Amino acid sequence: MTDLETRAAPSRAGALRRAAPALLGYAAVRALGLIVLALWSAARDKSAYTLLTARWDALWYTRVAELGYGYEVRLANGDVHSNLAFFPLLPWLERLVAAVSPLSYADGGFLVSLFASLAAAWGIFAVADQVYGRRAGVCAVLLWAVLPVGIVQSMAYSESLFTALAAWSLYAVLTGRWPTAGVLALLAGLTRPVGVAVVAAVWVTAVVSFVRERRAAGADGAHGGTPAAGSAGGGARRDDDPAAHVGDRPRARRVLGMLLAPLGTAGYVLWVGHRTGKGPLGYLDVQAGWRNGFDGGYAFARFVGEKFTSFPSALAGVGLILGVASVIWLYAVGVRQRQPLPLLVYTGVVTALALCASSYFGSKPRLLMPAFPLLLPLALALARLSIRRSAWVLGAVAVASAAYGAFWLNGSGPP
């Protein structure tokens, strides 16, 4: 599939040692964010832990863990907010933690996010290190940590869990571990609707690899050569020769990964359709009750346009346009830098779903947070600086991110 598959994978202990600087740096940034949040919240007579575990979506996840599905809130305008909109993996893990410990469901959600965020950081490092090297991997992890909405990584939300599963699934694709990639994509599909991005990355990369193998086999055949082991097609061979089947094993594993990948998303969506009695599209009706849908970005564009009706809000409109332009520019740079196909597919789908959905517009920054490959061009630029200079840049941004996270979570926060 890619030359990256030919690199020898380090042992687990060696991989952890290699990732240690990134993980320690990540833990330091997150600790800074939590300390600033605790101080800021105490000054406002609020509980930082409550902000992290018992508001907004965190409450919906704990209700699913405690009561199961079927809870809904009917608003005065006729909207119906059903907990069927929330995918089940995080509530399942919250329930598991509560079952094996004295912790509450909310405590379980915080604990899951704590470990999942570290797993996500390690996965981001593994992907960036595989593609661009160790130093770029460290920078990519730290950039993900200092995102303005990075405090969400410490909340009892599903973003950290999803990012961990997505990153490791992409790493498995890059290194040719197709069944592992499929299982992780399945779990990502049980975590958030955007799990379809991981499925797309697995499927598109697998299909392209099959096509390339067939073309290579055809070219070899046209020159009278013997197709290489593992290539699709080829000349005649004896079916009773064990060596003849060796080349089928990588293809079989690839097919297995493809079959496993969509089961999480498809399984939950179909179950919701069965439960609501509205068939395969029942989940879309559930999302419509939350005023969530995919309109190609029309609602978001109208929201931005309305900011220009008065001068103060026009500044916010300019900021939104610059933010969207930056996201698109980073993706274009990734294309120019020839990021591996699975990363481009995954990032493209995550970005499209975040920017083109008609959901609450204030949540778009956190919806983009799993699109970590967008940070790789910046990570490469930082990696070219001296260690002292890049440390100063990241340190300053970390302080600003911690302050903004505390301000944001004590104010409007993420719905």
Side-chain angles (χ1 to χ4, degrees), residues 135-151:
R135 192 164 176 189
V138 173
C139 291
V141 169
L142 295 179
L143 284 170
W144 192 67
V146 302
L147 288 173
V149 293
I151 191 65

Side-chain angles (χ1 to χ4, degrees), residues 214-229 231-237:
R214 183 170 293 277
R215 287 176 178 173
D220 288 340
H223 290 86
T226 301
S231 62
R237 65 188 183 190

